[in-house]
Amino acid sequence: MAAGGSATDVIDLTQAQDDDDEDEDLEYYGRFKTSVVGIRYYTGIVNMREMVVLEREPDNPYDRNAIRVDNVVGDKVGHIARE
């Protein structure tokens, strides 16, 4: 728990966090149904029908066309299944 915070603090994860990270604008392009693979290797958690962030990983050593899946707090969940 952060200093000055309480156990009942609420964090709105739908709002952009103003950190010192890159200044990215995220855009919603649509939706589709797919499978996320590799979830046992990462600590991120995502539920069915939850919005996620997809990011290409051209430097991925296993697949240069890999698409990374992150949850709304930025934790890596896995990758889109290669089909």
Side-chain angles (χ1 to χ4, degrees):
M1 179 171 21
S6 70
T8 59
D9 285 346
V10 176
I11 300 172
D12 185 354
L13 298 176
T14 63
Q15 301 300 314
Q17 299 294 320
D18 191 19
D19 293 336
D20 292 337
D21 296 337
E22 295 177 3
D23 195 279
E24 296 180 315
D25 289 346
L26 301 178
E27 295 183 33
Y28 179 76
Y29 285 102
R31 66 183 200 180
F32 61 96
K33 185 176 181 177
T34 187
S35 298
V36 177
V37 297
I39 58 174
R40 65 180 169 207
Y41 301 110
Y42 307 106
T43 58
I45 298 171
V46 68
N47 296 307
M48 287 184 67
R49 297 184 174 263
E50 182 176 336
M51 226 179 253
V52 295
V53 176
L54 303 178
E55 184 175 339
R56 297 194 73 178
E57 282 190 330
D59 296 330
N60 184 303
Y62 302 103
D63 180 3
R64 67 184 193 124
N65 296 312
I67 299 177
R68 174 183 170 149
V69 178
D70 290 349
N71 61 17
V72 293
V73 294
D75 296 330
K76 188 172 186 176
V77 175
H79 292 88
I80 296 293
R82 187 178 359 178
E83 296 182 32

